Structure formats: structure tokens, C-alpha cells
Amino acid sequence: MAKKQSARKPQYKASRWDKLDNTANLFPVIVSEDVSNVYRVSVTLKEDIDEKILQQALDRVLPYFDVFQTKLKKGMFWYYFETNNKPSPRVHQEDRYPCAYINPYINNDYQFRVTYYKKRINLEVFHVVTDGNGAIMFLRELTYQYLRYRYHELEIVEGDNLKPETSLDREDSYVKNYTHSAKKGYKTERAYIVTGEKFAAGCFGIMHGYINLPQLKEVCKSHGVTINQYLISLFIYSVYRECLKSQPCDNPISVCVPVNLRPYFDSDTLKNFFTVVSAAFKAEKESYTFDDILKEVSEGLKEQISKDNLENLFSYNVSNEKSMMIRAVPLFIKNIAMKLIYKSSARANTSTITNLGMIKMDEAYEEYIDKFHVVLSMSKGQNIKGGVCTYKDTLVFTFSSAVRETYIQKRFFRHLAEAGIEVSVETNGVYYE
């Protein structure tokens, strides 16, 4: 666990370079205006955001986080990070759709942005920097510092150091924990793709579902499954009912499920440290029930999410990266190969659903905080995705979608309501334009 840092950490740092972690190597290769690989974590407070104070908070917090205070550079054999001593990115009111491409040349070379809208603070991160768990760590400290500056009584009581539980670890936990003899542990079967009338380029729909957590837990307990298993199964069932119309299909409905590896390998790294498993269901006959799909999907996830299997999944990729033959290949050739691999596997999943779990805030700040959200950007072949997080007694399931039709979302939330779970829904308004 990271120790509390000095309250007077210098703004300027000696320049140093750092390797990208194994997962991060892909993102600079495939990034574009259309495929941003940017995700958003946000916190909604109980009063409107003051832009000047938010900028001050960012300027204060950023120097602690070496992983965020970097710029991406292109080497002969790999991309790499270098210390970025430019001023923090400029905080501004949100003026684009969520998760837009981050242009480093107009962002002081940083790979993240901080915006706000009314009561909400948005942290948007290019996935090359860190995963959702690392981003929540940064957002949590940014929120604490903002609230200290905004409410002086907090600053007097709390001071302005980082919380003891905040990790600043830069370890590449993939390299530390990989197994040399790992074999490829995933398939790339073509999945069912959700189609429909699309929004204009750069636009997509957001739909937040606010779900009563205690009631959801009771329903999951009655089925003998976890919350994640239930929600992913319900998404697959919603696609099956609304898109396949309960008919057989040669292509499976497949959901990419990121798994945080830190608890399995005793890691506190702020860098990316996750792997993905697949929740898949192939409709080979007519009229499957929700319980049929729940049983198959939950059992499949349970089999995959073990330390040994997760280790095998990421070790295969790390072993390739460590190969002397691959390391000696120039970057432009690696880029061509990685793009080809990405294109061949891009349609292996119908969707991605990521769950950041329970977000806990220090008790002294809770009265100022309302809720959190997670929003995923679109990627090739996946026109609808889900981001999940929980704060106190509310779980928020956020759909991001490139298609105008909302049949899947409506089926999903209706099923929860019919199961006796309180649900309220909010959108970004584009569905009504």
C-alpha cells in the first residue's frame, strides 16, 4: 500500500522514460478519431462545479501521479512514455460527446482530460495510461482536493496530502507475474453484431440505469449467481430477445468482460493490470428462457475466472512481447502486424461490459458526493457497450450505443423492474432528436 506523500512535492521532475505495459502496447496502434480507446469515469457532486477551483485541484494532484504525468513517444521498436513537465491539461466545460479522441498536441501532450458539466466532474483517459481502477484512484484524489479547496473546513481538517490507501505504484504487474510456458487461451470466433440506424460520426447515445443495490443482491442471491453474472446474462438475453427474436443464430452473442487482476496477484499498480474473459451464448434452438441463459453464462464465467486461467490469458501476450525475435522487429512492422491481428479479432465480441465494482469515498467527503458513472467508447464491431459502478446503495449500469434503437436497453431495464428491483433511467437526450 502506498505511503502518504509529502505535501510539498515539486512540480518539475527530471525527465525519465518508461515502458508501456503489455496491454497498453496495442492502443497507440489502433487509435483514431473513430476508435478513440478513451473511457470516462465521472463523479457528480451536490453543487455546481467551479472551473477555477477544479483547475487548481488538478494542478495540485497531478504531480503526485507519475503514471498520468507523461507524454507518449514513438521509438524504433516500441512506443514509450516520457515525463511531461508541461502545465496540466486545461480544465473546461464539456463541449463534446463523451470519450472523444484525445489529441495530445492541443492537450499539452497529456493522454487524459478533465472536463465538467453542471455538478459533474469528468475524467477521460486514453487506455494506454491505465485501466478503470487506476482512473478511479486518480479521480478520487482529484475530488478530495477539489472539495478541500471548495469547502475550507475540509482543508483545515483533512490537509492536502493523498489518502494512505492511494497507490502510486508504477510496477508492470504483467511482466512480474507472467508464466513463460503459457499457451494461447482465447478464441476469435465471429460473434453476432448489433446493427441498426447509426448516429452521426462522433456521436453516440448514453443511457444510465440507476438500480437499487440491496434489491438486486436479493434477486441474484435467489438465483445463486453474482451481480456481474446476472447483469451480463441479462444483457445477452436482451440481445437474444430483441435482435434474434428468440431464433437460432450461427454466431454467438459474446460479451468481453475485463477482469481486474490486482486482487489475484497482490498488486497495487496504477498501470493497466487486467485481462478479459468471454461470456458467450449460442442460440442453437428457439425460445431460450432467461434462466437458461443465466445458467450457461454464469457457469462459463465461473470456469474462466480463476487465478490459473487468468494468469494463462495474459501470460501468452507477455511471452510474445518478451520474445527476442519480436523485440528486434522495427515498430512500423509491429504496427502492421498488430493492426491485422486487431482487425481479425475485432468482431469476436458483440459487446464489452466492464464493472468497476464498489467505489468507496472517505466518510468526511460523502455528504458532498451524489453518484459516479463509467462510460465506454465505441470500438470496431461493438456498437453497444456497458459500464458499471456502484456507490453506496445504487448500482449504475450505463449503456453507450452507436445505434439509435433502444430495444436492448428497454428490455434490460424492464426485466429488472419486473423482477421487483427499483430502476430509474436517464439519457443524454440524443435518442429524442
Side-chain angles (χ1 to χ4, degrees), residues 317-360:
N317 294 329
V318 177
S319 297
N320 285 336
E321 180 191 336
K322 302 288 281 186
S323 164
M324 290 302 296
M325 184 181 301
I326 293 177
R327 288 171 66 183
V329 174
L331 181 60
F332 78 93
I333 297 178
K334 286 191 181 91
N335 286 352
I336 294 170
M338 284 193 281
K339 284 181 179 178
L340 290 173
I341 292 170
Y342 173 72
K343 285 182 178 179
S344 69
S345 61
R347 293 183 177 274
N349 287 291
T350 307
S351 178
T352 295
I353 295 178
T354 187
N355 188 343
L356 298 188
M358 178 68 74
I359 298 174
K360 296 181 179 179

Side-chain angles (χ1 to χ4, degrees), residues 199-258:
F199 293 107
C203 307
F204 61 95
I206 304 294
M207 186 176 293
H208 304 299
Y210 301 98
I211 301 167
N212 183 290
L213 181 63
Q215 293 173 352
L216 176 61
K217 283 182 175 179
E218 281 299 312
V219 171
C220 293
K221 183 179 178 181
S222 70
H223 286 280
V225 297
T226 67
I227 288 175
N228 228 29
Q229 290 167 358
Y230 187 91
L231 294 175
I232 292 166
S233 299
L234 180 52
F235 172 82
I236 290 174
Y237 176 71
S238 300
V239 174
Y240 170 68
R241 288 293 305 273
E242 297 301 326
C243 300
L244 301 187
K245 305 300 181 184
S246 301
Q247 296 299 306
C249 181
D250 292 334
N251 303 111
I253 303 168
S254 181
V255 176
C256 173
V257 183

Side-chain angles (χ1 to χ4, degrees), residues 23-24 27 36-39 125-132 272 274:
T23 297
F27 297 122
S36 70
N37 290 293
V38 171
Y39 61 90
V125 184
F126 181 25
H127 223 318
V128 72
V129 176
T130 184
D131 55 26
N272 286 298
F274 72 98

Side-chain angles (χ1 to χ4, degrees), residues 29 54 65 124 127 140 148 188 199 284 289 297 353 363 365 384 433:
V29 178
L54 183 56
F65 288 84
E124 297 189 331
H127 223 318
R140 185 186 289 124
R148 290 177 196 133
T188 54
F199 293 107
E284 297 178 335
T289 65
V297 170
I353 295 178
E363 187 177 353
Y365 302 85
I384 184 168
E433 294 177 356

Side-chain angles (χ1 to χ4, degrees), residues 199 203-205 378 383-385 399-403 405 409 431:
F199 293 107
C203 307
F204 61 95
M378 298 297 94
N383 292 320
I384 184 168
K385 293 186 179 183
F399 283 102
S400 47
S401 176
V403 298
E405 291 83 3
Q409 296 95 312
Y431 297 109

Side-chain angles (χ1 to χ4, degrees), residues 208-219 230-231 393-397 412-425:
H208 304 299
Y210 301 98
I211 301 167
N212 183 290
L213 181 63
Q215 293 173 352
L216 176 61
K217 283 182 175 179
E218 281 299 312
V219 171
Y230 187 91
L231 294 175
D393 281 340
T394 301
L395 180 145
V396 183
F397 192 110
F412 183 93
F413 293 126
R414 189 184 304 122
H415 184 97
L416 292 172
E418 290 171 352
I421 302 168
E422 294 175 21
V423 181
S424 60
V425 176

